[in-house]
Amino acid sequence: MGKIRKTYDIEYKLQAINLYLEEGMGAKSIGKELGIAYAIVERWINHYKREGIQGLEEKRGKAKGYNKGRPKIEPLSDAGKIQRLEAENAYLKKLLALKKEMILKRKR
């Protein structure tokens, strides 16, 4: 099973960033004060430095860019299902014929 990761809201992250920027505290002391790992605080600081407040927004589970992520598939109609199955049968018949051919060549 996967780990369940806790998410923090932007206000909480900004509180940590303000402690770093305005109070001059280090990531380890901020982590101790807020009760979180210092690596998380360092990550927030780096994201904030690179992207500003947008860097603190939650990005997990969001597709990036156009046409990214799992495509939305509409259920096939009966005719579409039949067409797909016929194509699958034709493919399997060709595969079986090739396999038989290879077995015959080995026996020779």
Side-chain angles (χ1 to χ4, degrees), residues 6-91:
K6 183 166 173 58
T7 57
Y8 300 92
D9 59 356
I10 292 180
E11 289 79 22
Y12 190 77
K13 294 176 184 181
L14 280 173
Q15 179 184 358
I17 299 295
N18 286 334
L19 289 173
Y20 175 78
L21 295 175
E22 294 174 9
E23 303 294 325
M25 294 175 68
K28 287 186 179 182
S29 57
I30 294 171
K32 284 181 184 176
E33 186 170 316
L34 297 178
I36 57 177
Y38 76 92
I40 294 173
V41 176
E42 287 178 341
R43 186 180 324 127
W44 293 346
I45 292 168
N46 290 332
H47 285 290
Y48 185 79
K49 285 180 180 177
R50 272 186 276 135
E51 305 171 36
I53 199 163
Q54 288 180 338
L56 300 178
E57 291 178 0
E58 185 62 41
K59 295 179 181 76
R60 283 184 282 161
K62 295 181 180 177
K64 295 179 182 177
Y66 178 73
N67 255 353
K68 299 286 181 177
R70 186 176 295 166
K72 307 246 188 277
I73 299 174
E74 294 182 16
L76 290 175
S77 64
D78 289 340
K81 287 178 187 177
I82 291 170
Q83 185 179 9
R84 184 182 56 80
L85 290 171
E86 286 174 345
E88 187 177 325
N89 284 339
Y91 173 77

Side-chain angles (χ1 to χ4, degrees), residues 84-99:
R84 184 182 56 80
L85 290 171
E86 286 174 345
E88 187 177 325
N89 284 339
Y91 173 77
L92 291 172
K93 284 179 184 178
K94 287 180 184 178
L95 186 64
L96 185 60
L98 285 172
K99 190 171 183 178

